[in-house]
């Protein structure tokens, strides 16, 4: 081999090794336990999980989910038990982590049956109606919501969000607080109660965008490139739609003006 070719080969070897290593990794990712439709751990799938998995695949990586309680997701990363953590944000207390672009958005809402014609423009209006929220809602939601919850005589929080949906459509509760996509998912799954009635979404909460945190900058960059491809191809929206097929319902308003 001519000397100049040997020199060029030696110069290229480190670059080649770096490229191959960055595109041949299985990434152990801390994932919060069941939060359908975002994560369905029993089936190793979910709307958010599929997006992250496919974006990583487009970047040349495989995803190995490590299912933990949602509150322990950041801890799993910071203690070195995972290479990445899903459903976090820059507000999460994580050091030495590389945060991706936003890959999904959660959006809580106050939900009521449209036929009730309720007037809800601010959190204090909820004092007039019975209300069930998801577990620990008064911990995660804004302080003004927490103050309302403390004063509310008929306020409850429950872990089983499918029960919230059933109680709303059966008329056993006036209002519920939950993420819109979680609501639509459980509405699809409900078999005991008729869920075709039109509903109102009172948008008193801002949406919450989420990211993925990685321990390596290269993994973060590969994920971002894959995510961009996923959105540009339309596949990102296909994944969302696959989990949120609309429930048949009468024609009617499904939203209410948002006032904060």
């Amino acid at each position: 081999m001519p000397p100049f070719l040997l020199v060029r080969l030696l110069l290229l070897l480190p670059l080649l090794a770096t490229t191959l290593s960055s595109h041949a990794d299985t990434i152990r990712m801390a994932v919060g336990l069941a939060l359908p439709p975002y994560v369905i751990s029993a089936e190793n799938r979910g709307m958010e999980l599929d997006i992250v998995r496919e974006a990583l695949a487009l970047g040349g990586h495989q995803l190995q989910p490590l299912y933990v309680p949602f509150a322990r997701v950041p801890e799993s990363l910071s203690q070195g038990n995972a290479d990445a953590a899903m459903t976090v944000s820059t507000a999460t207390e994580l050091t030495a982590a590389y945060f991706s672009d936003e890959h999904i958005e959660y959006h809580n809402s106050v939900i009521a049956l449209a036929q009730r014609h309720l007037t809800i423009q601010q959190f204090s209006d909820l004092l007039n109606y019975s209300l069930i929220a998801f577990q620990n809602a008064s911990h995660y939601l804004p302080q003004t919501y927490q103050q309302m919850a403390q004063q509310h005589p008929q306020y409850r929080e429950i872990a089983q969000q499918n029960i919230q949906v059933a109680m709303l459509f059966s008329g056993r509760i006036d209002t519920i607080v939950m993420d819109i996509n979680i609501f639509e998912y459980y509405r699809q799954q409900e078999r005991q109660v008729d869920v075709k009635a039109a509903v109102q979404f009172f948008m008193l909460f801002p949406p919450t965008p989420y990211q993925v945190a990685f321990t390596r900058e290269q993994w973060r960059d590969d994920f971002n490139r894959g995510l961009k491809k996923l959105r540009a191809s339309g596949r990102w929206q296909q994944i969302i739609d696959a989990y949120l097929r609309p429930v048949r319902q009468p024609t009617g308003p499904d939203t209410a003006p948002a006032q904060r």
Side-chain angles (χ1 to χ4, degrees), residues 133-202:
F134 59 88
Q135 191 173 38
N136 294 324
S138 55
H139 173 73
Y140 291 111
L141 296 178
Q143 185 175 3
T144 49
Y145 178 89
Q146 297 174 29
Q147 293 170 349
M148 176 278 301
Q150 291 172 355
Q151 301 171 25
H152 202 299
Q154 300 182 70
Y155 179 77
R156 292 169 55 198
E157 294 180 358
I158 59 176
Q160 300 91 342
Q161 294 193 271
N162 59 313
I163 294 178
Q164 286 181 264
V165 175
M167 290 183 70
L168 178 70
F169 283 101
S170 64
R172 295 167 58 195
I173 200 76
D174 295 327
T175 58
I176 60 176
V177 171
M178 63 193 307
D179 174 85
I180 293 172
N181 290 333
I182 295 175
F183 168 78
E184 294 293 0
Y185 176 81
Y186 281 123
R187 190 181 190 182
Q188 291 178 38
Q189 304 300 312
E190 179 59 46
R191 296 293 179 267
Q192 303 300 316
V193 176
D194 186 350
V195 295
K196 294 191 293 293
V199 298
Q200 285 182 292
F201 296 104
F202 296 91

Side-chain angles (χ1 to χ4, degrees), residues 12-246:
L12 286 172
L13 280 177
L15 177 61
L16 179 60
T18 301
T19 302
L20 289 174
S21 65
S22 67
H23 288 276
D25 295 307
T26 296
I27 297 176
R28 301 169 305 149
M29 184 169 299
V31 178
L33 283 168
L35 192 63
Y38 295 100
V39 176
I40 307 172
S41 55
E43 302 174 16
N44 198 31
R45 68 183 184 94
M47 186 167 71
E48 181 181 4
L49 187 59
D50 290 354
I51 287 172
V52 171
R53 178 184 284 118
E54 293 194 24
L56 280 174
L58 289 171
H61 303 293
Q62 289 186 330
L63 172 67
Q64 180 184 341
L66 303 176
Y67 296 109
V68 298
F70 191 79
R72 288 179 51 199
V73 167
E75 174 187 313
S76 298
L77 185 67
S78 60
Q79 292 184 351
N81 298 322
D83 305 312
M86 198 175 84
T87 324
V88 296
S89 71
T90 52
T92 308
E93 293 184 1
L94 283 171
T95 57
Y98 299 94
F99 287 90
S100 73
D101 294 337
E102 296 167 1
H103 68 284
I104 203 157
E105 193 174 79
Y106 286 37
H107 200 164
N108 289 307
S109 175
V110 177
I111 308 170
L113 296 180
Q115 65 193 30
R116 297 290 308 280
H117 302 291
L118 303 187
T119 300
I120 302 173
Q121 298 181 336
Q122 53 194 358
F123 293 133
S124 60
D125 292 335
L126 292 170
L127 293 169
N128 301 317
Y129 310 109
S130 56
L131 170 64
I132 291 183
F134 59 88
Q135 191 173 38
N136 294 324
S138 55
H139 173 73
Y140 291 111
L141 296 178
Q143 185 175 3
T144 49
Y145 178 89
Q146 297 174 29
Q147 293 170 349
M148 176 278 301
Q150 291 172 355
Q151 301 171 25
H152 202 299
Q154 300 182 70
Y155 179 77
R156 292 169 55 198
E157 294 180 358
I158 59 176
Q160 300 91 342
Q161 294 193 271
N162 59 313
I163 294 178
Q164 286 181 264
V165 175
M167 290 183 70
L168 178 70
F169 283 101
S170 64
R172 295 167 58 195
I173 200 76
D174 295 327
T175 58
I176 60 176
V177 171
M178 63 193 307
D179 174 85
I180 293 172
N181 290 333
I182 295 175
F183 168 78
E184 294 293 0
Y185 176 81
Y186 281 123
R187 190 181 190 182
Q188 291 178 38
Q189 304 300 312
E190 179 59 46
R191 296 293 179 267
Q192 303 300 316
V193 176
D194 186 350
V195 295
K196 294 191 293 293
V199 298
Q200 285 182 292
F201 296 104
F202 296 91
M203 311 304 288
L204 304 184
F205 305 95
T208 305
Y210 283 108
Q211 302 157 271
V212 179
F214 294 91
T215 55
R216 293 187 189 177
E217 186 176 13
Q218 183 64 55
W219 288 342
R220 188 275 310 276
D221 294 343
D222 291 342
F223 175 81
N224 283 346
R225 282 192 290 270
L227 181 62
K228 186 176 294 186
K229 291 177 183 177
L230 207 64
R231 290 184 184 276
S233 68
R235 176 60 184 158
W236 185 93
Q237 190 61 52
Q238 287 178 353
I239 294 171
I240 298 293
D241 293 342
Y243 286 91
L244 299 175
R245 297 184 184 91

